[in-house]
Amino acid sequence: MPNNKFLFLLILVFSFQIVSAQKPQKPNSVEIFNQIQKLNFLGSVLYIAAHPDDENTRLISYLSNEKKARTGYLSLTRGDGGQNLIGQQLRELLGVIRTQELIEARKIDGGEQFFSRANDFGFSKTPDETLQIWDKKQVLADVIWAIRKFQPDVIINRFDHRTAGTTHGHHTASALLSVESFDLTNDASVFPEQLKLVQTWKPKRQFFNTSWWFYGSQAKFDAADKSRLTTLATGVYYANTGKSNQEIAALSRSSHQSQGFGATGVRGEESEYLELINGEKLKNTTDIFEGIDTSWNRIPAGRAVGELLSKIALQYDFSNPSASISDLIKAYKMIQSMDENQWKALKLEEIKNIIAACSGLYLEAVSATQEAIPGSSLQLKLEAINRCATAMRLESVTSLPEQKNTILNTPLDNNILKNIKLDLQLPITIEYTQPYWLKDKGTVGMYTVADQKNIGLPDIIREAKVIFNIRIDDIILPFERAVVYKYNDKVKGEMYNYLDIVPQVTSSILDQASFFNDGKKKPIAVKVKAGKDNIKGNLQLELPTNWSVSPQSIPFQFEKAGMEQVFYFNVTPPAKPSEVVAKSIVIIDNKRYEKEQQIIEYDHITKQQILKTAEAKFIKLDLKINNQKIGYIMGAGDQVPEGLTQMGYKVTLITPEEITPEKLESFDVIMTGIRAYNVLPSLEHKQNILFDFVKSGKTMIVQYNTADESVPDNISPYPLKISRDRVTEENAEVRFLAPNHAVLNYPNKITAADFQGWTQEQGLYYPSEYDKVFTPILSSNDTGETPKNGALLVAPYGKGYYIYTGLSFFRELPEGVPGAYRLLSNMISLKAQLTVPSQTLKP
């Protein structure tokens, strides 16, 4: 059994690792009252699914805000395999964005967020494939670890474990793992190494959260027998906040901006349905906590605490929340005297935060800079103010991670601001700020997390903090605050970021894939950024010896932290085809620095720093192109234009509003980005102009769109219906249906080798029905499935060509996959080779 004191601390870390969004939260009187009510409910629910945006925010909000239950969401992945509607970040960078979106969603609906180490490697058609790529044993261990730490009374699965093959393989796998874990979490022989840190745990019952979606239609669901289902009336109206449960859920759902899941709140009666899968049966089909003592009576000596908290709620003064502080302090002392247990840790933290909110206690630690290097000293400005009549004293502050305690003994009188200067010495061993799950190299299906205690934590682990030790009556309450940086924006006002720990210097090769087609030397741009003042060193570009780099080293010097400059190396490829990884290295005082800093910054999430190895792919490739001028209509966001530029094309980004006959005259090819018709409704009204462009002898290439109502009927000059067909096995055999077609022969001879090394998937949302005028070029399929022939369709139209493709060029080009570049060149060059038989033209 684990040490109780250590378990207490572990629960605190697991439960409160989410750092509040950059701007400090300042709960109002109603929010404080709701938090007081929640103190008196000791029941918990863990919701389990596969991805960010899989969670049912209506149910999470209902359980958290109406039932007052501690409610968590375990998303097995961070959503790395999805698409991005707000920027160009994909894969692990997208996972960072979606992680933060989930954290923001939970702040709105009142839940808590957790993850496993599973990597969202892209769409999977079966749970068997999913569990093989994920490493089932490791993910099962993570699910059991989460349950043992969270200790839920009830588990709810978003997906049905009995319906393999009918939905995303990740979805079914999440349910299968949850069901398998139900009994194993209480078995000490299962993952016994975890029991050094946590205890075994037995949930009371487990449900499947069914809905009309699982029945195929709302009509079928309405007609189904629901007598065996637990029905929760979730259409609650919260009069004290003026919002319905569905409105809160919609605000939470709308946090998933990168996936375009903005939701409109609704009002009125509504129900959620749960099917019991495991555990004790219910007599009352509306109470999932039946038979579970959710009062303070579940804890020895807890009854008196519950009675006191009931009194506090009953006597709460909305116009003067501070009137509750005296009794809250009493409750805090009573809980503090209890034996160590999970609820003690949770409720002490909750009461402490409520006391701060009731008193208007504001505590802040602000750095003069937003970035600092290990070993540096920072001057912090501390702000402390008590805005109530209750006597308080700031006894001391403890700076972390140096564990230095500074005695202050400063009274905090009502509404008297205290500003204090504090020097924070950062240890040389402090970790760089970055998502902990990206620190070590993982696999296709799993992230690597070395420290067991960190598994499941949602957010970046920030070490630079200040603990304000506040005395109220005869107890000292420690309030922990992460060090922040703030500034005033003339438009947005007060802006917050967290302090980031950065290397002394970072560098980045500006093009992540560079092509050397003609054998001549090429300038390569490398950017260097200073992480501290007065820094000098030498920049180098490391390549295999058969690649030539000049100069060998470039000296640099920066006076101020944050300064950056771009330097150029001349690189000459070898005579033969070659594909290598180039690495940017900075040498300072004989020490190598090889990290690239990437910043993700959007208004709806916390700013994120990611540190990766500063490298890029260099390719000496047999790639032939013509000199077409390309107009690119950006859709959901991709890096295809950068890839086209690398190939040697002149690319111009254009918007639907710019599409006129005159504007298009200068282009040979028009390409639409991924999901362009899904996200650009006005593009539909430009189709006649685009088709006339093709008819005049030009080429139009349309990349994949999802199959929904946003796709116009006239996406193609001929009938074409987009389906959900896809090939997820990137190494699936590709068969040539039209081997003599120019798109496979000019200017590059395409062979099976050109489809080797593709990443994540071959393609998605292939058309399943199309006019006979289209020539299907390629055929492939996942194991055990029928051939999918809609990956690349070519049709003559007038004197030109219309091409529709579901191939994942948006993933392959940034990864530097040679065959993707060669095939795309042929598609762009198509009109230069073919003449159109007049009898195939559609009037």
Side-chain angles (χ1 to χ4, degrees):
M1 299 294 286
N3 178 276
N4 282 338
K5 184 176 181 181
F6 187 84
L7 176 61
F8 175 87
L9 295 174
L10 181 65
I11 290 170
L12 279 179
V13 170
F14 184 72
S15 304
F16 302 104
Q17 184 63 39
I18 298 176
V19 183
S20 57
Q22 293 144 305
K23 288 191 176 182
Q25 296 181 354
K26 304 169 186 176
N28 59 41
S29 183
V30 168
E31 291 168 335
I32 295 170
F33 177 69
N34 290 336
Q35 291 171 11
I36 290 174
Q37 286 186 313
K38 199 163 187 174
L39 284 174
N40 234 348
F41 191 91
L42 278 66
S44 56
V45 182
L46 184 62
Y47 199 89
I48 299 179
H51 310 108
D53 72 46
D54 281 346
E55 82 277 24
N56 184 341
T57 56
R58 298 186 184 198
L59 188 51
I60 290 175
S61 176
Y62 169 80
L63 292 168
S64 178
N65 297 304
E66 174 64 12
K67 300 299 290 184
K68 309 299 182 186
R70 185 189 181 207
T71 309
Y73 175 42
L74 173 59
S75 175
L76 296 194
T77 77
R78 296 176 184 267
D80 324 78
Q83 282 80 51
N84 185 358
L85 295 184
I86 61 173
Q88 296 184 358
Q89 297 89 356
L90 293 174
R91 296 299 301 141
E92 67 272 13
L93 299 184
L94 177 59
V96 171
I97 293 173
R98 298 187 72 184
T99 292
Q100 292 300 312
E101 289 177 338
L102 267 184
I103 291 172
E104 295 303 315
R106 297 295 79 78
K107 293 173 187 174
I108 295 169
D109 59 36
E112 301 174 42
Q113 186 59 52
F114 310 108
F115 295 94
S116 81
R117 290 171 291 174
N119 190 336
D120 178 3
F121 55 84
F123 191 86
S124 176
K125 293 180 178 178
T126 68
D128 289 342
E129 178 196 42
T130 296
L131 294 173
Q132 182 179 8
I133 295 176
W134 273 357
D135 188 330
K136 177 186 174 181
K137 183 178 179 180
Q138 287 190 44
V139 185
L140 178 63
D142 291 356
V143 174
I144 290 174
W145 169 253
I147 294 171
R148 284 173 172 173
K149 286 199 296 183
F150 191 80
Q151 297 184 11
D153 297 308
V154 175
I155 294 174
I156 301 176
N157 299 335
R158 166 77 281 191
F159 299 104
D160 191 342
H161 63 288
R162 299 157 297 195
T163 54
T166 62
T167 182
H168 197 320
H170 297 182
H171 292 169
T172 311
S174 72
L176 287 168
L177 291 170
S178 179
V179 169
E180 185 174 351
S181 70
F182 185 78
D183 292 318
L184 297 181
T185 56
N186 201 38
D187 187 340
S189 68
V190 176
F191 304 115
E193 67 279 2
Q194 295 180 0
L195 301 182
K196 298 175 182 177
L197 304 172
V198 294
Q199 298 173 344
T200 57
W201 180 253
K202 179 64 176 178
K204 191 77 168 181
R205 53 182 62 96
Q206 183 178 50
F207 295 95
F208 158 48
N209 179 201
T210 189
S211 70
W212 70 264
W213 190 86
F214 296 95
Y215 284 72
S217 71
Q218 185 66 54
K220 291 180 180 179
F221 186 59
D222 291 341
D225 178 14
K226 304 181 187 64
S227 60
R228 61 186 179 84
L229 302 179
T230 297
T231 305
L232 304 180
T234 55
V236 180
Y237 173 61
Y238 304 112
N240 59 6
T241 64
K243 293 185 178 71
S244 69
N245 186 67
Q246 301 98 311
E247 288 172 315
I248 294 173
L251 292 172
S252 174
R253 186 73 172 167
S254 298
S255 297
H256 297 293
Q257 293 186 19
S258 67
Q259 303 303 295
F261 279 119
T264 299
V266 298
R267 291 145 291 279
E269 293 183 352
E270 187 175 73
S271 296
E272 286 290 336
Y273 299 92
L274 305 176
E275 177 188 352
L276 183 68
I277 300 171
N278 280 309
E280 295 185 12
K281 293 183 179 180
L282 294 171
K283 297 178 182 178
N284 179 353
T285 57
T286 62
D287 182 12
I288 63 173
F289 291 102
E290 181 183 280
I292 302 169
D293 190 347
T294 58
S295 73
W296 278 91
N297 294 336
R298 76 184 296 173
I299 296 177
R303 179 184 296 274
V305 176
E307 292 172 350
L308 178 55
L309 292 175
S310 295
K311 171 193 167 187
I312 293 171
L314 184 64
Q315 297 179 352
Y316 181 75
D317 185 348
F318 284 87
S319 64
N320 180 24
S322 64
S324 298
I325 292 177
S326 177
D327 281 338
L328 286 167
I329 291 291
K330 291 178 183 177
Y332 186 92
K333 292 178 182 177
M334 293 168 67
I335 299 172
Q336 196 174 45
S337 67
M338 293 179 174
D339 292 337
E340 304 298 342
N341 62 76
Q342 180 202 31
W343 289 108
K344 174 180 178 177
L346 294 168
K347 295 304 180 181
L348 281 177
E349 190 71 13
E350 289 178 20
I351 291 183
K352 184 176 66 175
N353 292 331
I354 292 170
I355 291 170
C358 285
S359 64
L361 180 64
Y362 185 86
L363 305 168
E364 188 174 73
V366 181
S367 168
T369 61
Q370 200 264 312
E371 296 182 342
I373 66 169
S376 63
S377 179
L378 297 177
Q379 187 174 81
L380 303 183
K381 178 183 176 182
L382 308 185
E383 179 179 331
I385 185 170
N386 164 32
R387 289 171 285 186
C388 76
T390 299
M392 297 186 188
R393 181 178 294 275
L394 177 56
E395 293 281 306
S396 65
V397 293
T398 305
S399 49
L400 302 176
E402 61 179 339
Q403 296 285 350
K404 177 184 176 183
N405 192 51
T406 302
I407 303 298
L408 296 174
N409 197 23
T410 301
L412 297 179
D413 298 324
N414 187 5
N415 210 31
I416 303 299
L417 177 65
K418 300 292 184 180
N419 283 322
I420 303 163
K421 291 183 179 179
L422 179 72
D423 290 330
L424 173 63
Q425 179 63 46
L426 299 176
I428 195 69
T429 55
I430 192 171
E431 296 274 0
Y432 296 137
T433 304
Q434 60 180 323
Y436 69 89
W437 59 94
L438 297 180
K439 179 183 175 184
D440 298 317
K441 186 174 179 61
T443 66
V444 172
M446 297 294 296
Y447 285 121
T448 298
V449 180
D451 190 338
Q452 175 70 46
K453 294 190 298 297
N454 291 343
I455 294 174
L457 299 182
D459 208 354
I460 285 174
I461 300 170
R462 299 183 185 274
E463 297 182 70
K465 302 175 183 178
V466 172
I467 298 174
F468 294 78
N469 300 302
I470 307 293
R471 179 178 292 278
I472 305 177
D473 289 346
D474 58 346
I475 64 169
I476 294 178
L477 302 179
F479 293 93
E480 184 178 278
R481 297 291 184 265
V483 176
V484 298
Y485 167 75
K486 67 178 183 179
Y487 61 97
N488 185 71
D489 183 278
K490 291 183 178 180
V491 175
K492 300 177 182 178
E494 186 178 54
M495 301 294 292
Y496 279 78
N497 284 316
Y498 290 114
L499 172 71
D500 283 337
I501 309 302
V502 303
Q504 286 194 42
V505 63
T506 55
S507 65
S508 59
I509 304 171
L510 295 188
D511 291 320
Q512 291 305 294
S514 291
F515 286 86
F516 299 79
N517 302 325
D518 53 12
K520 298 179 180 178
K521 68 179 180 182
K522 181 176 183 177
I524 298 297
V526 181
K527 182 174 70 176
V528 179
K529 179 182 177 183
K532 59 174 285 189
D533 295 342
N534 301 316
I535 190 171
K536 63 179 180 179
N538 289 281
L539 175 66
Q540 298 175 1
L541 190 63
E542 287 190 350
L543 279 163
T545 55
N546 60 333
W547 288 71
S548 174
V549 181
S550 177
Q552 293 296 311
S553 180
I554 300 177
F556 67 87
Q557 183 169 351
F558 294 127
E559 295 180 0
K560 294 291 184 182
M563 292 181 65
E564 54 186 44
Q565 185 176 344
V566 176
F567 300 94
Y568 290 89
F569 292 91
N570 288 315
V571 175
T572 305
K576 296 182 178 180
S578 177
E579 183 176 325
V580 299
V581 174
K583 184 177 290 187
S584 171
I585 304 294
V586 177
I587 307 295
I588 299 176
D589 297 330
N590 295 319
K591 184 176 179 180
R592 290 166 57 99
Y593 293 86
E594 50 188 61
K595 291 295 184 183
E596 171 185 352
Q597 182 193 58
Q598 297 185 3
I599 300 296
I600 297 176
E601 191 166 14
Y602 293 100
D603 287 344
H604 70 299
I605 60 174
T606 298
K607 178 182 177 182
Q608 302 289 293
Q609 170 183 265
I610 294 91
L611 297 173
K612 303 173 64 178
T613 301
E615 60 186 21
K617 186 177 288 188
F618 286 5
I619 302 171
K620 171 62 167 67
L621 177 66
D622 179 18
L623 173 68
K624 301 179 180 66
I625 68 167
N626 292 302
N627 296 315
Q628 289 88 353
K629 295 179 180 179
I630 301 172
Y632 198 92
I633 305 168
M634 188 67 75
D638 57 58
Q639 297 179 45
V640 173
E642 291 89 331
L644 294 170
T645 301
Q646 274 290 328
M647 294 168 72
Y649 293 111
K650 181 179 180 181
V651 182
T652 303
L653 298 181
I654 59 176
T655 65
E657 292 69 30
E658 295 177 295
I659 296 175
T660 64
E662 295 75 21
K663 177 74 172 181
L664 300 190
E665 277 185 9
S666 61
F667 299 117
D668 302 296
V669 176
I670 292 294
M671 288 186 68
T672 63
I674 61 171
R675 300 181 67 176
Y677 289 92
N678 296 132
V679 301
L680 300 173
S682 59
L683 189 55
E684 175 183 0
H685 307 300
K686 299 293 183 175
Q687 290 295 85
N688 288 338
I689 297 175
L690 292 168
F691 293 159
D692 285 344
F693 168 83
V694 178
K695 190 182 293 184
S696 71
K698 307 295 183 69
T699 298
M700 181 177 180
I701 301 173
V702 178
Q703 296 183 81
Y704 96 92
N705 290 266
T706 58
D708 60 36
E709 64 278 359
S710 64
V711 176
D713 292 336
N714 66 338
I715 188 174
S716 161
Y718 306 108
L720 180 146
K721 182 178 180 180
I722 299 172
S723 72
R724 295 186 176 275
D725 287 351
R726 62 204 302 158
V727 178
T728 64
E729 297 173 13
E730 55 268 22
N731 296 319
E733 177 193 5
V734 177
R735 300 171 292 274
F736 296 165
L737 300 176
N740 296 323
H741 198 287
V743 79
L744 295 177
N745 293 279
Y746 176 82
N748 304 284
K749 178 67 175 178
I750 304 300
T751 69
D754 287 298
F755 291 92
Q756 295 175 2
W758 284 49
T759 65
Q760 187 162 326
E761 58 193 348
Q762 279 188 7
L764 62 171
Y765 292 100
Y766 294 169
S768 58
E769 300 177 23
Y770 40 86
D771 193 277
K772 63 181 180 180
V773 73
F774 281 103
T775 299
I777 304 297
L778 306 172
S779 177
S780 64
N781 55 271
D782 288 326
T783 302
E785 294 196 351
T786 59
K788 304 296 183 289
N789 299 339
L792 179 58
L793 302 174
V794 179
Y797 186 70
K799 298 179 181 179
Y801 290 88
Y802 176 92
I803 301 174
Y804 188 94
T805 181
L807 293 172
S808 60
F809 289 109
F810 74 104
R811 297 196 190 280
E812 312 313 321
L813 267 58
E815 294 294 327
V817 177
Y821 282 89
R822 287 162 47 82
L823 179 58
L824 189 55
S825 171
N826 286 14
M827 294 161 60
I828 292 169
S829 301
L830 189 58
K831 82 170 186 65
Q833 178 70 6
L834 290 180
T835 47
V836 185
S838 58
Q839 65 268 23
T840 67
L841 298 180
K842 183 177 180 179

